[in-house]
Amino acid sequence: HFNHPDYQTEWWYYTGNLRSADGHKFGFELTFFCQGVSRGKPQTSAWDVHDIYLAHLALSDLDGGRFYHTERLNRAGPGLAGASEQHAKVWNGNWQVQWTGNQQQLQAIAQNFAIRLVMSSHKPPVVHGKDGVSQKSAGGGQASHYISFTRLLTAGTIELDGKEYKVEGTAWMDHEFFTHQLDTNESGWDWVSLQFDDNTELMLYRFRHKDGSIDPLSAGTYVDAAGKPTYLGVTDFSMQPEKESYTSLETRAIYPIAWSVSVPALKLDLQLTAPLKSQELVSSMGAELSYWEGAIAIIGTRDGKPARGVGYLEMTGYAKREQSR
């Protein structure tokens, strides 16, 4: 669950849907990225840059209609950022997740909001893909190791503009490490994590080619109530954008924020909607690194019966360099 220095890129992704005692709804994201830049060179100082650590933090005030996000960039230095199995921790400054047995304690403090949560895994981790490898495109090495905790029972506090909310809900954690880059024919991806009220989960992603077609190695995983995963290939599901969209005022990107999903073998037919349209994380390092990631609601049917829940939707590659102001 910690660092894998033999790989070029690694990330730890936390997202979740939370609610206060009076019903106020929030979504959150805390992501730690590690990118190797000069590994293999002798280290002469604690300040030598061998890895770059980027972190993103976002809070969706779903009932208040506001989206807050910030980012930070660090080198490891003398303990500024890192992922340590010895200390059971992933961190970037005072943003951190500390592991203690079956629990993960998350803390992130920003200028006008802070998140402090305790997350307990309700199910064993899920390894996505076939035989432990999540193939992303054709060819050797075009793959990752991808592990998720799909149902983290979560409780804690959110501080926003001087007010503290005690919250409960569920979170999802993704950990992925790889060396490949996206295939040159791919323009981005659409990804969803869905947590249903019946204690099951579904993860789907589709890679978009520059010509608008979908990569045949797009895939997903269904997790039953007991925690057993089932691999889904691209022909096992449909994930299609609907007409509703959000146009970013900052990057001019147009994001489809309503989706229809079906998994025939599971008799699942779903509609995914975003209660807050403006959940785009705009990167200070360029519009092309910006992406939409936000809380979503699920309504639909499973075998003719109501299927409901919450989730997160991520869309990358919609903002381009030439679109920014």
Side-chain angles (χ1 to χ4, degrees), residues 270-291:
L270 308 171
Q271 295 295 318
L272 312 181
T273 58
L276 179 60
K277 293 183 177 182
S278 57
Q279 298 184 85
E280 181 191 36
L281 286 89
V282 179
S283 175
S284 62
M285 292 181 283
E288 68 278 10
L289 297 178
S290 301
Y291 59 99

Side-chain angles (χ1 to χ4, degrees), residues 1-43:
H1 302 309
F2 301 99
N3 61 322
H4 295 79
D6 291 341
Y7 294 83
Q8 186 76 18
T9 304
E10 189 159 13
W11 61 55
W12 297 260
Y13 234 105
Y14 292 85
T15 56
N17 285 268
L18 307 172
R19 184 189 299 244
S20 67
D22 63 0
H24 198 111
K25 296 178 183 177
F26 295 95
F28 81 91
E29 175 197 345
L30 176 60
T31 308
F32 302 94
F33 302 93
C34 177
Q35 182 72 22
V37 293
S38 61
R39 293 172 176 174
K41 295 183 179 180
Q43 186 164 355

Side-chain angles (χ1 to χ4, degrees), residues 6-306:
D6 291 341
Y7 294 83
Q8 186 76 18
T9 304
E10 189 159 13
W11 61 55
W12 297 260
Y13 234 105
Y14 292 85
T15 56
N17 285 268
L18 307 172
R19 184 189 299 244
S20 67
D22 63 0
H24 198 111
K25 296 178 183 177
F26 295 95
F28 81 91
E29 175 197 345
L30 176 60
T31 308
F32 302 94
F33 302 93
C34 177
Q35 182 72 22
V37 293
S38 61
R39 293 172 176 174
K41 295 183 179 180
Q43 186 164 355
T44 59
S45 165
W47 297 102
D48 289 349
V49 180
H50 290 271
D51 299 292
I52 291 293
Y53 291 91
L54 174 67
H56 287 171
L57 172 64
L59 178 66
S60 300
D61 182 358
L62 301 177
D63 288 341
R66 296 288 302 276
F67 181 67
Y68 306 84
H69 70 91
T70 185
E71 63 184 350
R72 59 175 50 164
L73 186 67
N74 264 317
R75 67 189 75 189
L80 297 178
S84 169
E85 181 178 6
Q86 178 184 359
H87 299 289
K89 185 170 74 170
V90 182
W91 77 99
N92 195 317
N94 62 359
W95 302 356
Q96 68 175 44
V97 175
Q98 177 73 58
W99 295 58
T100 306
N102 190 46
Q103 290 187 337
Q104 301 179 49
Q105 299 178 40
L106 181 153
Q107 172 185 283
I109 302 169
Q111 184 174 0
N112 56 343
F113 69 96
I115 304 171
R116 295 178 176 87
L117 304 171
V118 176
M119 302 173 290
S120 302
S121 181
H122 186 60
K123 294 182 177 182
V126 170
V127 179
H128 300 286
K130 294 182 177 179
D131 300 321
V133 175
S134 179
Q135 192 77 25
K136 296 299 196 294
S137 58
Q142 302 296 307
S144 72
H145 294 291
Y146 179 9
I147 305 101
S148 295
F149 286 93
T150 62
R151 190 165 294 259
L152 292 166
L153 304 184
T154 303
T157 61
I158 290 174
E159 297 173 20
L160 177 60
D161 293 331
K163 182 177 180 180
E164 182 178 278
Y165 299 84
K166 291 186 177 181
V167 293
E168 293 183 344
T170 55
W172 178 295
M173 184 268 202
D174 276 347
H175 182 198
E176 196 160 6
F177 47 99
F178 55 93
T179 297
H180 81 285
Q181 300 296 319
L182 279 178
D183 188 280
T184 56
N185 190 38
E186 291 173 348
S187 63
W189 64 80
D190 308 302
W191 169 93
V192 291
S193 63
L194 308 178
Q195 297 173 315
F196 298 98
D197 292 347
D198 66 356
N199 199 36
T200 62
E201 297 88 39
L202 178 66
M203 182 279 294
L204 302 173
Y205 63 84
R206 52 174 229 162
F207 281 102
R208 304 186 311 275
H209 289 166
K210 292 178 180 178
D211 63 3
S213 61
I214 302 303
D215 193 289
L217 287 168
S218 301
T221 304
Y222 171 72
V223 183
D224 70 12
K228 179 182 177 182
T230 299
Y231 172 80
L232 301 173
V234 69
T235 60
D236 295 323
F237 68 92
S238 172
M239 179 178 170
Q240 296 296 328
E242 299 292 341
K243 291 182 179 180
E244 186 177 6
S245 64
Y246 166 72
T247 301
S248 168
L249 297 178
E250 296 188 65
T251 65
R252 303 182 188 177
I254 301 173
Y255 297 97
I257 57 170
W259 291 75
S260 61
V261 167
S262 67
V263 185
L266 301 174
K267 299 181 180 180
L268 266 177
D269 290 289
L270 308 171
Q271 295 295 318
L272 312 181
T273 58
L276 179 60
K277 293 183 177 182
S278 57
Q279 298 184 85
E280 181 191 36
L281 286 89
V282 179
S283 175
S284 62
M285 292 181 283
E288 68 278 10
L289 297 178
S290 301
Y291 59 99
W292 196 101
E293 174 123 16
I296 55 173
I298 308 166
I299 57 172
T301 60
R302 184 202 300 265
D303 197 13
K305 299 178 181 179

